[in-house]
Amino acid sequence: MIGKSVDVDIVDVAFGGETVGQFDGQQLFVRGAIIGERVRAEITNIRARGLLAITREVLKPAPTRIDHPWPLGSVYQTGAANYGHITLSGQREMKTRMLRRELREAGGEELLAQFSPPMLTVQAVDGNGWHYRTRIGVNKLPTGVGVNSGGTFVRVSELPLASKRLESLDLFGNAWDETLTTGEHLQLVAPNAGSPVIMSAGQAFFSPSERAPNTIWEIVNYRGRSYEYTLGTKGFWQVHENAPDALVAAVFDNLELDERTHFVDLYSGAGLFSLVAADLIGPRGSVRAYEGNSEAAEAASANFTAAPWASSHALTIDAHTLGSLVGSAQVVVADPPRAGLGSEAAKILALSPARQIALVSCDARSMARDVAALVRAGRRVTQFVALDIFPQTHFVETVCVVQ
Ligand SMILES: C[S@@+](CC[C@H](N)C(=O)[O-])C[C@H]1O[C@@H](n2cnc3c(N)ncnc32)[C@H](O)[C@@H]1O
């Protein structure tokens, strides 16, 4: 079966960015195709959920198909821009279809009925979908840097997903050859309140001859107010330059906070949501932030210095610890990593006294599973915002508010 060439009509979009067709009574998951197309695809893997294939020839192209502007990012090479062969609006239509499919698979038509079509419309956060990443990983090569393509590092002379501000690091020639060790993983970071840095083996550099502090500053704007964050070098921060502002708006535009609200921020990182909540709520309420990475939790503590009614706690959130964390919460934001909350933790959260819960997710499948669990346990979806903070890829960020 592997290596077989099949002609297939693409009728849906699945998790992982693959499109879906039918072959031999089975689902065929096809990379590099677009909904509405007819393609000739080569079967590459046999999986429990169906066959995996890759597009070899487009027999009937979709109107949204374009030449990939960065072939190295395509599904045939690194896959870092696996939707780059689709117009931006076409990418967003595909993501809407993926959200619908995942919600239907997790909770049937009954769950899908809680989402009006505008809720599932994926919203742009930028103009052209390139040069948006303020965080990007590469590997040092003997000269210049490379990206992983099928297990080997390919030297690059451009990084089209990376923020233009990272160009000042002068990465593609031999400027860094004596400072950095060949083979090392490099994390490039362009904070919005400071100069770009390279992180390598626990050290930070502004330039080959200038070390940088292991601290980064970011500024987030919401409703005319600016919030300043200090981050450690190992902690999480949203990668799209517009994501922190867009996510803060998607969360707080849809939550009802007052001056006595007890607010809990689960998976709080350096306190992106907590710092804004502390400002919106004020000293008569409380904000408690819980985060597993101790460096990020310490950074959050430092970020809350001017708001002592906000506190940061380093601990692992799971189905055993969660109940006590949300026992007296009135409003909860949960922004777990890709794996999501898990059905058991989602049920515990649903049964908490919180009047509103905002689930922030970067993974459509775990989001759908967690929302289905929240709804099964008695919650109702009131708002849902889908943001295109990972253009050129199949990923989509969502904020789901339940009551
Ligand atoms: C998607 S990030 C969100 C961080 C923050 N809300 C933000 O937007 O900057 C998820 C965070 O969860 C933390 N984390 C992952 N697993 C965890 C766990 N089991 N318990 C607590 N925190 C965890 C990670 O360290 C990371 O900071």
Side-chain angles (χ1 to χ4, degrees), residues 54-77:
I54 189 159
T55 303
R56 290 297 179 206
E57 192 183 337
V58 181
L59 304 172
K60 187 185 110 200
T64 53
R65 180 170 282 274
I66 54 173
D67 287 339
H68 202 302
W70 181 44
L72 185 59
S74 74
V75 293
Y76 303 100
Q77 298 195 56

Side-chain angles (χ1 to χ4, degrees), residues 236 238 267-269 272-273 291-293 315-317 335-337:
F236 175 91
Q238 303 289 341
Y267 308 91
S268 49
L272 173 66
F273 299 119
E291 162 62 38
N293 176 314
L315 57 73
T316 300
I317 301 164
D335 183 8

